[in-house]
Amino acid sequence: MSATSSPLTALQRQLADPKSRLRFDTALSAWAAQDPALAGLGAHERLSEVLASRDYARHDEVLYALLQRSALAGAEGVTAGEVVLNAMLPAVPSIVGRVIRASRAAIGTFGARRGITGGGVSANEANADVQAATIGHLWEQIRRYPLRRRHHVAANLVFDTASSPVVQASTASTTGSPTAIACSGRGSTPSR
């Protein structure tokens, strides 16, 4: 799979489009005037700067405020969800890697560690189906985030996405794990 054809790359390209950025900036500017948690975030670049900092309490405050808006029905909720999704996209390769490594461990296919750091996932394993399922479930987690969880917001989104049965099942179909396929409901018994 080439990097240009991956669902992650396509989504990053779509969200970086000037029309999307303008929509994000307009919404963030309006929300910053209404919500003290979003004060000073009148543009997407400023949001990126805040989330790139090491002020984790501020991360939680900002992401939580955006997730509250993403729970709303209509265009405002969708736009807030897209802003959060765009902020969380850098975590997708890590989630895909975790899910694939967990799948490999479950079926006992260990081998040489891959990737630049030795813990990554090879390009042929990080396939489009797993990425698409991961992004889809991340979107679902964003839109229905349990608002009682105010702390460690980004970590909660990553954990909930990685532990999703949907994401796990998509990996089973690509790794061929009979146990995982049976658990996902796509097969009645493991094939031999």
Side-chain angles (χ1 to χ4, degrees), residues 100-153:
I100 289 174
R101 284 189 298 276
S103 178
R104 271 197 253 138
I107 61 173
T109 55
F110 298 101
R113 293 176 61 152
R114 297 172 175 90
I116 296 171
T117 61
V121 178
S122 68
N124 61 351
E125 287 177 317
N127 60 53
D129 291 342
V130 178
Q131 272 190 8
T134 300
I135 293 167
H137 195 67
L138 178 57
W139 174 254
E140 185 178 308
Q141 290 300 313
I142 289 167
R143 291 290 286 175
R144 61 180 190 91
Y145 186 79
L147 296 175
R148 68 184 180 282
R149 295 163 65 186
R150 300 179 70 97
H151 302 288
H152 309 290
V153 176

Side-chain angles (χ1 to χ4, degrees), residues 58-82:
R58 180 77 172 128
H59 294 185
D60 285 343
E61 181 183 34
V62 168
L63 287 173
Y64 184 79
L66 290 169
L67 286 168
Q68 285 178 309
R69 292 188 178 278
S70 75
L72 300 173
E76 182 179 2
V78 171
T79 301
E82 288 175 337

Side-chain angles (χ1 to χ4, degrees), residues 168-185:
Q168 304 270 333
S170 72
T171 307
S173 67
T174 59
T175 59
S177 165
T179 306
I181 290 171
C183 292
S184 71

